Each structure stands twice: as C-alpha cells, then as structure tokens.
Amino acid sequence: QVQLVESGGGLVQPGGSLRLSCAASGITFYAYRMGWYRQAPGKQRELVATFASGGSTNYADSVKGRFTISRDNAKNTVYLQMNSLKVEDTAVYYCNARKMGYDYWGQGSQVTVSS
C-alpha cells in the first residue's frame, strides 16, 4: 500500500520559515519524480516545486529564491524548505509521487502565514 505522509506544517508569521517533510512508503522511491503542490481556498491546486528528469528542479515563479525542494533517497523522504514566507503562501501543501502510469498524493499539510 502506497503512503505519502506529510508533516511540518503549521502557523508562522510573515517572513518566517517552515520545513515540510513527506515520508513515502510502498513505492520504489528513487524511481519516482517527487514534488510539492499547494491549494489555497477557492483556488486550483498548483505546482510549487518538483524534481524533473535527470534530478533538476522546477519551481513556481512565486516561490523561486524562497523555497527549496530536496530529497533523501535513503530515508524515502522529500522536503520543502520554505523561507521568507508570505501571507499568500497560505495553503494546504500536498506531496506528490509520479512516474509513468502512477500518480500518488499525500493527505496534505496546512501552512498558514499570518501575523
């Protein structure tokens, strides 16, 4: 059974930092392209950061220079370091594992940026 379990969300003030973690089980982790997406109230789910083929990374323009995606294949875990957080970063953040024919999602982790 595939499980993606996010952790690390919470409430933070503008300008603060959080690190999200996503622990994967039930998949051959290194073979999957891992990524983070988010969905704010009333909006569509959008890409935040992903690993592309060859190990390169893609970021949404809105988070470039502030967020960093990383992975530890030995721990089957992907991370999202979020710095200089803004109110508009408030959303539910979802972990995604994808390869041809397979697409898995975590349950989501709430991130709220507010003073």
Side-chain angles (χ1 to χ4, degrees), residues 55-99:
S56 62
T57 54
N58 292 326
Y59 293 92
D61 287 343
S62 60
V63 308
K64 282 180 181 177
R66 300 188 298 122
F67 291 11
T68 303
I69 188 172
S70 61
R71 65 190 294 165
D72 185 336
N73 288 341
K75 295 182 178 180
N76 287 2
T77 300
V78 62
Y79 304 96
L80 184 68
Q81 178 66 45
M82 304 183 291
N83 298 329
S84 301
L85 281 160
K86 303 176 180 181
V87 172
E88 52 264 41
D89 293 319
T90 296
V92 177
Y93 284 70
Y94 295 92
C95 176
N96 175 255
R98 182 174 297 168
K99 71 173 186 177

Side-chain angles (χ1 to χ4, degrees), residues 1 5 20 28 44 49 60 67 82 93 95 97 99-100 103 114:
Q1 181 181 0
V5 180
L20 300 180
T28 307
Q44 290 187 332
F67 291 11
M82 304 183 291
Y93 284 70
C95 176
K99 71 173 186 177
M100 187 177 294
D103 192 12
S114 175

Side-chain angles (χ1 to χ4, degrees), residues 23-65:
S25 60
I27 61 172
T28 307
F29 183 77
Y30 69 85
Y32 280 75
R33 187 174 68 182
M34 302 300 297
W36 290 94
Y37 291 73
R38 68 186 180 186
Q39 187 166 18
K43 294 188 177 181
Q44 290 187 332
R45 191 172 297 187
E46 63 176 3
L47 179 148
V48 176
T50 66
F51 283 97
S53 59
S56 62
T57 54
N58 292 326
Y59 293 92
D61 287 343
S62 60
V63 308
K64 282 180 181 177

